[in-house]
Amino acid sequence: MKSQLRNITVDGYAFVYWYSGGSHFILNLSPKENKNIKITLIFQANPPEEEPHTFWSFYDISAQSNEMETVIHLGKPKHIAEIISYLMAKRQELWI
C-alpha cells in the first residue's frame, strides 16, 4: 500500500510526505520546493493480524535516545511533523 503525496508544514517550512506499509513502514519526506531531496525512513512494523496492509495508523515505532525510550504511534500527521522537526534540529546534514 503506497499513499498519495501529502502536504505538511513544520516550523513554517513546507514538506511533502508519502508512505507505504507492509512488513515495514516506509516514510518518505521531501521539502516541498525541491522534491529531488528525499529522506527515507524504514521502520519494522507490527501491523494487526486481521488487516495487516490497510491502515497506517497501527504502526508503532520504538525510539531511544540518551537512555530514554518512547513509542511513536503513527496515527496523525502531527507525528510526521515531530519526526521532521527532530531531523531538522539534530541531523541538518540530511537536508543539505
Side-chain angles (χ1 to χ4, degrees):
M1 171 186 80
K2 182 179 176 185
S3 73
Q4 295 179 346
L5 207 62
R6 298 176 184 215
N7 297 309
I8 193 165
T9 301
V10 182
D11 295 329
Y13 294 98
F15 292 90
V16 293
Y17 70 93
W18 63 102
Y19 58 87
S20 60
S23 61
H24 291 82
F25 177 78
I26 301 170
L27 175 64
N28 299 284
L29 309 166
S30 290
K32 192 168 185 175
E33 74 276 358
N34 186 355
K35 294 182 189 76
N36 292 326
I37 299 171
K38 177 178 80 167
I39 295 175
T40 300
L41 304 172
I42 302 172
F43 302 100
Q44 199 132 20
N46 188 16
E49 290 179 18
E50 62 274 6
E51 294 292 336
H53 304 290
T54 57
F55 194 58
W56 72 298
S57 70
F58 288 103
Y59 291 92
D60 290 335
I61 297 169
S62 296
Q64 188 171 355
S65 178
N66 299 329
E67 298 183 14
M68 290 180 58
E69 190 169 328
T70 189
V71 175
I72 302 169
H73 179 69
L74 289 175
K76 298 179 181 176
K78 173 187 173 208
H79 299 127
I80 295 170
E82 290 169 351
I83 290 171
I84 297 171
S85 293
Y86 175 82
L87 290 173
M88 289 176 69
K90 302 289 187 181
R91 298 288 308 271
Q92 262 300 313
E93 70 276 10
L94 296 174
W95 301 101
I96 297 172

